[in-house]
Amino acid sequence: MKSLLEQLPSIVAEGKKEAERVMERAESNYRLGLQTRELVVPSRDSNWQDMFRQKPQSAAPASDPNTLIYGDNLLAMAALLAGSDSAQSLRSKVDLIYIDPPYDSKADYRTKISLSESQIEQRPTTIEQFAYSDTWVEGTASYLSMLVPRLVLMRELLSERGSIYVHLDWHVNGYVRAILDEVFGKQNFRNEIIWTYFGFKRSTTRKFPQKHDTIYSYFKNEDYYWKTQYKPHSAEYLNPHSPSKSLISLS
């Protein structure tokens, strides 16, 4: 049996072919529409006009509402690439993509839901509901086969100044990094961001604990959009410094 590393080239090749089939359907008369289930109108107290201000040049027109899509993102991206009679195709129009896919952790996950009781004096009842499964028929190979075509379609959606951030953990980040290099180009890799967290309940008797996730950052090409982030200095730092030096770069 081939190792996962030996299977990787064929996994990537098959994933690209699947993405090509999706794009061919998007360019044909075939349309996979999105059905509207709910419209959310901002409250009167919210400054909803800010939602449409300071859009990058390649973003959708200010009159277009934000859209929340529920469903398989492969089908959702097919619909976004194809467009419809009421919405233009978003091919090469998305400036930012952030994804937090399953981690191939080989576990099922549940979420806790609170149910209000009819009697006010009683406490809400908490039940567990199935959230999603992170188990794969053929293990990590199946997981990577799922991920490759989706990454290819995301690249098609990205604008020429667009960027993507892929959030992973220790289970598969090495394999996915190699796939990202193939899909987006190794030269377009920009950063490996480490998100640390506390893990007090993790066993340390035979190993160091897992205490961080990884976020890979890629851009579509060299002419990418980037805005340096700042935060104010603390009062302790500013005193006795000049107020004119009240910002610090996070880059």
Side-chain angles (χ1 to χ4, degrees):
M1 181 178 179
K2 290 184 177 180
S3 68
L4 187 57
L5 190 60
E6 292 173 318
Q7 297 178 61
L8 201 55
S10 61
I11 290 173
V12 172
E14 288 300 319
K16 287 183 175 181
K17 289 180 181 178
E18 183 178 354
E20 288 174 1
R21 290 192 291 268
V22 172
M23 288 185 284
E24 287 174 0
R25 289 195 295 269
E27 294 171 355
S28 67
N29 293 328
Y30 175 82
R31 291 291 184 270
L32 181 64
L34 299 175
Q35 182 180 9
T36 301
R37 297 290 300 275
E38 182 179 13
L39 292 176
V40 180
V41 179
S43 67
R44 184 179 300 176
D45 296 332
S46 65
N47 190 12
W48 61 270
Q49 292 92 343
D50 290 342
M51 296 167 58
F52 307 112
R53 291 176 181 163
Q54 298 180 348
K55 294 281 186 180
Q57 187 175 1
S58 58
S63 59
D64 289 352
N66 292 325
T67 303
L68 178 64
I69 302 173
Y70 176 80
D72 187 331
N73 62 3
L74 188 70
L75 300 177
M77 287 188 288
L80 294 176
L81 286 167
S84 65
D85 295 336
S86 59
Q88 63 176 332
S89 168
L90 291 185
R91 184 189 293 266
S92 299
K93 290 183 171 62
V94 176
D95 290 305
L96 175 64
I97 296 176
Y98 168 85
I99 62 170
D100 187 0
Y103 295 162
D104 188 29
S105 60
K106 299 174 176 59
D108 293 334
Y109 292 90
R110 299 180 179 275
T111 183
K112 292 184 178 180
I113 300 176
S114 295
L115 301 178
S116 299
E117 298 288 349
S118 58
Q119 298 180 8
I120 298 177
E121 64 272 10
Q122 292 182 346
R123 294 182 178 179
T125 300
T126 300
I127 64 172
E128 286 191 349
Q129 176 177 303
F130 176 78
Y132 68 94
S133 176
D134 192 12
T135 58
W136 306 88
V137 176
E138 298 179 6
T140 303
S142 294
Y143 170 86
L144 298 176
S145 296
M146 173 278 298
L147 194 59
V148 172
R150 288 162 171 80
L151 291 173
V152 174
L153 295 182
M154 289 175 197
R155 188 183 186 281
E156 289 297 314
L157 287 168
L158 277 182
S159 70
E160 293 305 309
R161 302 187 65 195
S163 56
I164 183 171
Y165 294 80
V166 182
H167 190 155
L168 302 161
D169 76 352
W170 58 271
H171 288 91
V172 290
N173 58 4
Y175 294 110
V176 177
R177 168 69 189 276
I179 292 172
L180 288 167
D181 282 349
E182 174 65 24
V183 173
F184 292 93
K186 186 177 180 180
Q187 72 280 6
N188 291 319
F189 171 73
R190 284 298 173 267
N191 205 353
E192 178 182 357
I193 303 165
I194 301 301
W195 178 51
T196 60
Y197 50 80
F198 293 103
F200 296 109
K201 296 182 180 180
R202 298 177 185 269
S203 174
T204 58
T205 56
R206 296 179 60 86
K207 64 176 182 179
F208 291 109
Q210 288 91 21
K211 300 185 68 173
H212 79 273
D213 287 355
T214 301
I215 303 175
Y216 290 128
S217 170
Y218 283 78
F219 297 90
K220 193 167 185 179
N221 58 46
E222 290 294 332
D223 187 27
Y224 57 88
Y225 177 81
W226 176 260
K227 183 177 181 180
T228 302
Q229 303 296 304
Y230 296 92
K231 69 176 182 180
H233 281 309
S234 65
E236 293 80 5
Y237 183 88
L238 288 176
N239 187 25
H241 292 279
S242 169
S244 63
K245 299 180 180 179
S246 60
L247 294 178
I248 182 172
S249 171
L250 295 179
S251 61

